[in-house]
Amino acid sequence: MDVDKLLIIAVVAAFCLGPSRLVGHTKQLTTFLRQLRGWADTTKAQIEEQTGVDIDWSELDPRRYDPRRIIRDALVDAPKPRDVALETPTTTAHEPPRTR
């Protein structure tokens, strides 16, 4: 979510709830987010303890699979010489074998 969208949601919430109830709901939200973070940290520690493997959680980040990012990275990164050599086939399946 963009910061702009969060700001719009906050402004709408402020108008809907009013200044008196907004403080209480903000406290509830921060308490919930802290509990959620604690739960996630506890779960992560339990998984690492039970499996005995230190998991690299950055590899499981779903933002890595954003199609826009994948395309942008592919366009920005120049192909390596090895990749170019692999992409150019010497013969194709549709070509008959050459005879002398």
Side-chain angles (χ1 to χ4, degrees):
M1 217 180 234
D2 296 6
V3 176
D4 299 338
K5 292 178 184 176
L6 289 175
L7 184 62
I8 291 172
I9 291 172
V11 169
V12 170
F15 281 120
C16 291
L17 295 175
S20 60
R21 293 190 301 175
L22 185 63
V23 174
H25 286 286
T26 304
K27 288 180 182 179
Q28 287 178 347
L29 179 64
T30 56
T31 302
F32 172 73
L33 291 175
R34 286 183 182 145
Q35 288 175 347
L36 184 66
R37 179 176 284 171
W39 175 79
D41 290 341
T42 303
T43 303
K44 177 183 170 185
Q46 285 178 347
I47 289 172
E48 289 177 355
E49 180 183 320
Q50 290 176 0
T51 60
V53 177
D54 187 24
I55 300 172
D56 184 14
W57 294 97
S58 64
E59 290 184 14
L60 301 175
D61 187 6
R63 292 175 289 192
R64 289 185 44 208
Y65 304 108
D66 180 21
R68 294 171 293 191
R69 180 175 177 229
I70 292 170
I71 292 171
R72 183 183 64 238
D73 291 346
L75 292 174
V76 170
D77 295 337
K80 298 174 186 131
R82 183 180 141 255
D83 294 340
V84 173
L86 292 176
E87 290 177 3
T88 55
T90 55
T91 60
T92 61
H94 303 294
E95 248 179 55
R98 295 183 186 175
T99 58
R100 291 188 180 214

